[in-house]
Every structure is written in C-alpha cells, then in structure tokens.
C-alpha cells in the first residue's frame, strides 16, 4: 500500500527555521516525483515545488523560489520542505503528494495527511 | 501563468441529484494535463480524475470528467452523502508548472 506520512504539527516564532518531512512507503520512492502543496487557512491549494528523489532534480513555483528549500534523502525514502526564516504568512497546512508517474499524464495520486505549521509570536 | 476559473463557487444540491462543475482555463490545456480532486474538511485532497476523463484507482463511476482545450467539466451523476465536499481542478504547463482552480464547494441543499 502506497503511503506518504508527514511529520507532526509545528508551532514556531517568526524568524525561526523549520524542516518538515514526508516519508514514502509501499513503492519505489526514488522513481516518483514528490510535490509540495500549501493550503492557507480557509483557502485553496497552491503548488510550491517538486523533487525527483532519484537525482534530487527540483523545480519551484516562482512564488516560492527562494522562500523554501525542497530536498530528499532517497536512502530513507523521505522528502523535506524547509524554511530558514519563517514569517507569520507561512502559517498553513502543507501537503506532500506523489506524482502519478503515468507517462504523459500530470496529477498527484497519493497525498500525505498534511503538516500544520503555525507561526506566531 | 495559466489561470483556472471554477464555477459555480458553491453548488447547493440534494442527495441523488446531478452535479456539474466547470473549470475554464485562461489558455488551452492538454487534456492529459487536467486533473480533478476532492477535499473534505480536515482531510487531504484525493485524486478523482486525471487526463481530463480517466478515473483514478477506486473512484466510483458516478464521477466522470470531460472537456478539452479551455473548458473542462466534472460530473457527479447522483450525489451520495459522502460527495459533499470541495472540488478542485488542476492543470500542468507554463509557469508555475501546476496551478489549481479556486475550488467549487458542493453543499447539501
């Protein structure tokens, strides 16, 4: 069974750093792209970026380029999303999601349960 | 950026009724690159449809997708109680690579 399990909720202060994780199981983790999606409170979905764990090829949305860093460690089947200096506006639910992997199709077929990040002084 | 506009914003229907959700793109999108998701409160999104019309694994056949170019539709033939949720369309292409529509909420009338 394919599963993506994300790390737990975080409460941080502005200016602090943070790294959240997404561990895949039940499939060949290096061979599927993993994307990150933000959902601010009461709002819709925003694609942030995506990584191919096999070679760490990474693409970012222009809105998030330079604001976050996406990485992966294929040896432990885990992808990461990190911030060096959090802002209150980073308060949101963050989801990881596996790219469908079917040649020629673009969608995310399995999703993590989400990590709630709260940034408040 | 390819902008996806979903309509209506909210759809009020009764169980057993048919739901028709629209997703319009600001420029042409390949059908292979159009997907639909369902999100219930407190849950992660779930893939319903990929390639504009292919149902994802385990999705009931009351869900169907259609469309091409700039106009896409998600149809729920007969609403079940568990179908009341928010639905998002998503496309791939351009910059950013993926964009989502703003969502359509299907609520119980």
């Amino acid at each position: 069974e394919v599963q993506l399990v994300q790390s737990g909720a975080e409460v941080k202060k502005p200016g602090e750093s943070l790294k959240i994780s997404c561990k895949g199981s039940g499939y060949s983790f290096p061979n599927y792209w993993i994307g990150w999606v933000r959902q601010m409170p009461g709002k819709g979905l925003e694609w942030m970026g995506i990584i191919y764990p096999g070679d760490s090829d990474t693409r970012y949305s222009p809105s998030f380029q330079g604001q976050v860093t996406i990485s992966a460690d294929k040896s432990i089947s885990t992808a990461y999303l990190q911030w060096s200096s959090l802002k209150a506006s980073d308060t949101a639910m963050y989801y990881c999601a596996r790219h469908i992997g079917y040649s020629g199709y673009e969608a995310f077929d399995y999703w993590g349960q989400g990590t709630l990040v709260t940034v408040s002084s | 950026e390819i902008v996806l506009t979903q309509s209506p914003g909210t759809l009020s229907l009764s169980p057993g009724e048919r739901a028709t959700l629209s997703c319009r793109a600001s420029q042409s999108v390949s059908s292979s690159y159009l997907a639909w998701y369902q999100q219930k409160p407190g849950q992660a999104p779930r893939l319903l449809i990929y390639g504009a019309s292919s149902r994802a694994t385990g999705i009931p056949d009351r869900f169907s997708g259609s469309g091409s170019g700039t106009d896409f539709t998600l149809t729920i033939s007969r609403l079940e109680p568990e179908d009341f949720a928010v639905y998002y369309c998503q496309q791939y292409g351009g910059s950013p690579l993926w964009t989502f529509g703003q969502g359509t909420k299907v609520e119980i009338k």
Side-chain angles (χ1 to χ4, degrees), chain A residues 22 34 37 85 101:
Chain A
C22 169
I34 292 284
V37 174
S85 181

Side-chain angles (χ1 to χ4, degrees), chain A residues 1 5-6 11-12 22 35 52 56 61 93 95 113 119 121:
Chain A
E1 178 195 7
V5 178
Q6 296 184 231
V11 179
K12 292 289 190 179
C22 169
Y52 188 74
S56 291
S61 165
M93 182 71 81
Y95 294 102
Q113 82 278 17
V119 184
S121 54

Side-chain angles (χ1 to χ4, degrees), chain A residues 37 39 43-47 49-50 59-63 93 95 99-100 102 104-114, chain B residues 30-35 37 39 42-47 49-51 54 57 88 90 92 95-102:
Chain A
V37 174
Q39 188 167 39
K43 301 299 183 184
L45 305 171
E46 300 173 88
W47 175 73
I50 195 167
R59 319 284 169 82
Y60 293 93
S61 165
S63 297
M93 182 71 81
Y95 294 102
H99 186 271
I100 195 167
Y102 297 163
Y105 292 101
E106 300 291 341
F108 295 95
D109 59 354
Y110 288 92
W111 292 64
Q113 82 278 17
Chain B
S30 168
S31 295
S32 297
Y33 297 167
L34 196 286
Y37 299 84
Q39 187 178 32
Q43 296 186 18
R46 177 173 72 145
L47 178 65
I49 301 287
Y50 65 93
S54 298
T57 303
Y88 294 95
Q90 176 199 46
Y92 168 87
S95 178
L97 284 174
W98 281 272
T99 55
F100 291 90
Q102 83 280 16

Side-chain angles (χ1 to χ4, degrees), chain A residues 56-68:
Chain A
S56 291
D57 185 7
T58 308
R59 319 284 169 82
Y60 293 93
S61 165
S63 297
F64 294 94
Q65 179 86 47
Q67 308 305 307
V68 298

